[in-house]
Amino acid sequence: LSVFLWDAGGCCGLRASGGDCFGVPAGLFVPSRPRFDAISEPMSHNFLAILSAVLSSAPGVPQHVAVTARAESITILWESARTWIHFEEYQVQVRQVLKAPPAVAVDDAVFASLRESGMSPSEVKRLQQQSTSAKDSDDWRTVYEGTQPVAEVNGLAGGVPLVVRARAVNSAGSSPWSVEVQVAPKQNPVRGGGRGELYEWTQSSGALEIRVPNLSQETTSKDVKFECRKQHLALTVNKMVVFKGVPFGSEGVRTDETFWQLDRSPDAVCVVLEVAKFKALEKWACIVVGEPEVDVRKVTF
């Protein structure tokens, strides 16, 4: 075994007997266990002992896991627990986080009231199923195995929240899993907008159009409650909270140019909102903070 080190921040390398030399800046990675036949002078035997201990010990937990969301994809970055020498591969897993049930009580009396208020039977059934099944999924899925501390995962469902974790693996074993990080891949924008649990929306340079479709024919204007202030938007339809919170736009909305109407046809009823941006040309990622976001890099006016 030949080992050579340069000054701090330079390159360190290792050569197994009869093998190739492996060297990387500011660290050392060897994909397989080398033979220790000889060590070049004047390298200390203490270093050889340290190197042997590293090779035979389980890796540490990956540090500083960070996730960046893009349109239907995420990029995960992390750091090795060992800062100067490491012999390990990495595994990254994700699992889906199911959304909590809507902001209504979930007993039978409430669902009966929703049916009487005009909500369609299919919508009531969906909410009943949500109320009994909303929880974190236990199905972890491995999305990356490799030696580099970075992974890109594509083909994800936009707006669906995920939890991400990573661990290191070598011939001596596996590290514990890292701290879990939650992220939601962004949606690909359609006409500048996207979709939420109960609505869909588009945007132009000056306004958002929001539609709550597929409502019961019995829905009337009395079943719609819309609150609009410069820094607050809230919509409730048939006692269902569609969205509520702080507008995404940095300067909020123009309340005097914002309105809603009930759009009725023989086949369906739809609530339509026109929300005027206070700051024109600003690209909104979502309607209110906390709702599923679109990738604004792909939004054009």
Side-chain angles (χ1 to χ4, degrees), residues 171-191:
S171 59
S174 303
S175 75
W177 289 101
S178 68
V179 173
E180 296 178 2
V181 179
Q182 185 165 328
V183 64
K186 298 182 186 297
Q187 298 174 359
N188 268 317
V190 178
R191 295 175 57 200

Side-chain angles (χ1 to χ4, degrees), residues 89-109:
E89 295 184 350
Y90 302 101
Q91 292 180 345
V92 176
Q93 292 186 337
V94 301
R95 66 173 169 82
Q96 181 178 336
V97 178
L98 301 180
K99 288 188 176 181
V104 297
V106 293
D107 55 46
D108 291 339

